[in-house]
């Protein structure tokens, strides 16, 4: 049984980011080392939460070091007038967040939107 997960954020809300990071932390802890793939896909205004001055940068980097993939929509970055250089180094830029969500779900990832 696969325990792969994709979390989705589209709102620029720091409390929602905190909730999502807590959910990911609890998910990993609850699996007690069971192999899994965890991604957070951010699109729309949510990409603004992952700039280098993000107040939750330490938590993002900590989870990325544990293998969590933080994927940002390139279309949303353009719409928010942000560049890859503005974003946390742990983030991966994907061409379209919605395509990445569908791709991950098609690959068997459970979808959660806190």
């Amino acid at each position: 049984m696969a325990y792969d997960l994709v979390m989705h954020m589209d709102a620029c809300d720091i409390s929602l980011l905190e909730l999502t990071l807590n959910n990911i932390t609890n998910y990993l802890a609850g699996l007690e080392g069971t192999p899994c793939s965890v991604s957070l896909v951010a699109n729309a205004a949510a990409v603004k939460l992952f700039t280098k001055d993000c107040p939750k940068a330490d938590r993002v980097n900590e989870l990325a070091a544990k293998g969590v993939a933080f994927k940002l929509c390139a279309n949303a970055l353009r719409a928010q007038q942000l560049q890859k250089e503005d974003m946390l180094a742990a983030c991966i830029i994907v061409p379209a967040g919605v395509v990445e969500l569908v791709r991950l779900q098609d690959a068997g990832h459970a979808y959660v939107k806190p």
Side-chain angles (χ1 to χ4, degrees), residues 52-67:
K52 289 180 179 175
D53 62 351
C54 169
K56 302 296 178 188
D58 289 344
R59 293 226 27 228
V60 170
N61 291 328
E62 173 186 314
L63 288 169
K66 293 180 179 181

Side-chain angles (χ1 to χ4, degrees), residues 13-113:
D13 179 341
I14 196 69
S15 63
L16 180 61
L17 176 59
E18 179 77 23
L19 173 65
T20 303
L21 296 175
N22 287 343
N23 275 246
I24 292 170
T25 300
N26 293 340
Y27 185 78
L28 294 172
L31 290 176
E32 299 178 342
T34 301
C36 65
S37 170
V38 178
S39 295
L40 185 154
V41 176
N43 64 345
V47 297
K48 294 189 287 187
L49 295 170
F50 297 91
T51 58
K52 289 180 179 175
D53 62 351
C54 169
K56 302 296 178 188
D58 289 344
R59 293 226 27 228
V60 170
N61 291 328
E62 173 186 314
L63 288 169
K66 293 180 179 181
V68 176
F70 290 86
K71 300 180 178 188
L72 309 180
C73 174
N75 295 321
L77 290 177
R78 279 191 297 278
Q80 300 298 325
Q81 300 178 344
L82 293 167
Q83 304 294 318
K84 180 178 179 171
E85 299 77 31
D86 300 323
M87 312 315 291
L88 293 170
C91 295
I92 301 161
I93 310 304
V94 297
V98 68
V99 172
E100 188 65 11
L101 288 168
V102 170
R103 186 187 73 72
L104 290 168
Q105 289 177 80
D106 187 57
H109 288 66
Y111 172 88
V112 175
K113 184 173 182 184

